[in-house]
Amino acid sequence: MTAAYTHVPPPNPLSQADIDQEVAEVHAAAADARAAGAPAVHHPPRDFAPYRSSRLRHPKRPLVAVTDPEAVELHGPVFGTTDITPLDSDLTAQHPGEPLGERITVSGRLLDRNGRPVRGQLVELWQANASGRYAHLRDQHPAPLDPNFTGVGRCLTDDEGRYHFTTIKPGAYPWRNHTNAWRPAHIHFSLFGTAFTQRLVTQMYFPNDPLFAYDPVLSSVTDERARQRLVAAYDHELSRPEWSLGYRWDIVLDGPSATWIEEGR
């Protein structure tokens, strides 16, 4: 669970103005580097200072090369098509009662750098409930839990690379990064390739959220176009009459239009 309520340091005396200043300095340095001809950077720094807990959690030692192929296979994904049921992708139907909140449909395509569909890949998501609380023992945010919403789902992409979920729009929540710090509503996505080592994790946001300007996690993506690609688009064709509103969000795995990945966090 990324940036959950109790996974960060205790309340920090830094104000929003202090965080804004740090973000501005990092963005200015990144712009200067691009102007000087530095190669494009598609992922944020692992120790982005305004995202204060990243300094405690980011890897500080070199990667360990795994040379035993059998050992790698022991830790690879074991999910197959027979393991995934329709309930896995409909988070509103996993419990006997109706979950609270606004029902939404989230769909999109998993694509490679050339726009080709990536078929048969495992897509997992997890999220807070409508009140901004995760169904997790370590989340002690004093917001109500929903006994009919766990906030976890998965599916396999189809032949067009498409994934599809029905869920509840998550709420914002405080995360103690600095004074009065709130995370915008978001959904975490995990993407698997053919082995565990190919797992990628990212986040999807909702359009026009007023908290975007105050969020160091989103601000850690210093390229404005890359930040925009993390925001889903409302799609009326995906909305289901009298049931749910639709959001479309494509995920690009690599290349110049790659979706930002939480590297090393």
Side-chain angles (χ1 to χ4, degrees):
M1 184 188 304
T2 301
Y5 190 72
T6 57
H7 288 198
V8 291
N12 194 297
L14 289 182
S15 67
Q16 183 66 53
D18 296 325
I19 296 296
D20 291 345
Q21 180 62 34
E22 290 187 348
V23 169
E25 291 172 357
V26 175
H27 283 205
D32 290 343
R34 288 193 295 268
V41 177
H42 300 300
H43 307 300
R46 295 177 177 176
D47 56 347
F48 185 72
Y51 178 8
R52 314 207 74 76
S53 60
S54 70
R55 295 181 298 178
L56 302 176
R57 302 189 305 184
H58 80 281
K60 298 181 177 65
R61 298 181 181 180
L63 297 176
V64 177
V66 178
T67 57
D68 183 356
E70 293 185 0
V72 173
E73 290 300 321
L74 290 175
H75 299 282
V78 296
F79 305 108
T81 55
T82 58
D83 294 320
I84 297 177
T85 72
L87 284 180
D88 292 329
S89 61
D90 187 347
L91 283 69
T92 68
Q94 295 173 350
H95 299 276
E98 291 283 348
L100 299 175
E102 176 187 322
R103 278 189 294 264
I104 60 174
T105 297
V106 180
S107 186
R109 300 179 71 202
L110 185 62
L111 305 169
D112 68 13
R113 64 185 300 141
N114 297 311
R116 296 175 299 198
V118 182
R119 305 175 177 90
Q121 299 302 297
L122 180 67
V123 179
E124 298 176 316
L125 64 76
W126 65 98
Q127 62 171 90
N129 65 19
S131 299
R133 186 168 178 180
Y134 289 92
H136 193 289
L137 291 175
R138 295 185 64 183
D139 188 348
Q140 297 301 308
H141 170 33
L145 287 169
D146 187 343
N148 294 309
F149 187 77
T150 307
V152 177
R154 60 179 182 165
C155 70
L156 294 175
T157 57
D158 63 17
D159 287 343
E160 297 298 320
R162 194 172 307 281
Y163 68 88
H164 191 91
F165 291 98
T166 302
T167 185
I168 296 295
K169 188 175 182 181
Y173 59 82
W175 63 301
R176 297 179 175 177
N177 184 72
H178 55 280
T179 302
N180 201 22
W182 290 81
R183 296 261 18 242
H186 60 279
I187 297 177
H188 301 271
F189 276 77
S190 167
L191 314 163
F192 277 103
T194 57
F196 180 79
T197 53
Q198 295 174 340
R199 183 181 186 230
L200 302 176
V201 176
T202 186
Q203 297 180 23
M204 185 202 88
Y205 297 85
F206 294 86
N208 305 314
D209 194 314
L211 292 173
F212 284 164
Y214 307 104
D215 184 43
V217 178
L218 186 59
S219 297
S220 68
V221 184
T222 57
D223 184 279
E224 182 179 356
R225 292 170 298 180
R227 285 199 304 275
Q228 292 173 350
R229 291 196 294 269
L230 293 174
V231 181
Y234 173 72
D235 188 334
H236 201 62
E237 295 299 317
L238 278 176
S239 295
R240 296 174 56 191
E242 303 182 30
W243 185 255
S244 66
L245 295 179
Y247 292 89
R248 186 175 302 281
W249 190 56
D250 292 341
I251 304 169
V252 181
L253 295 179
D254 58 0
S257 298
T259 302
W260 168 73
I261 300 298
E262 296 178 11
E263 186 176 6
R265 292 182 181 160

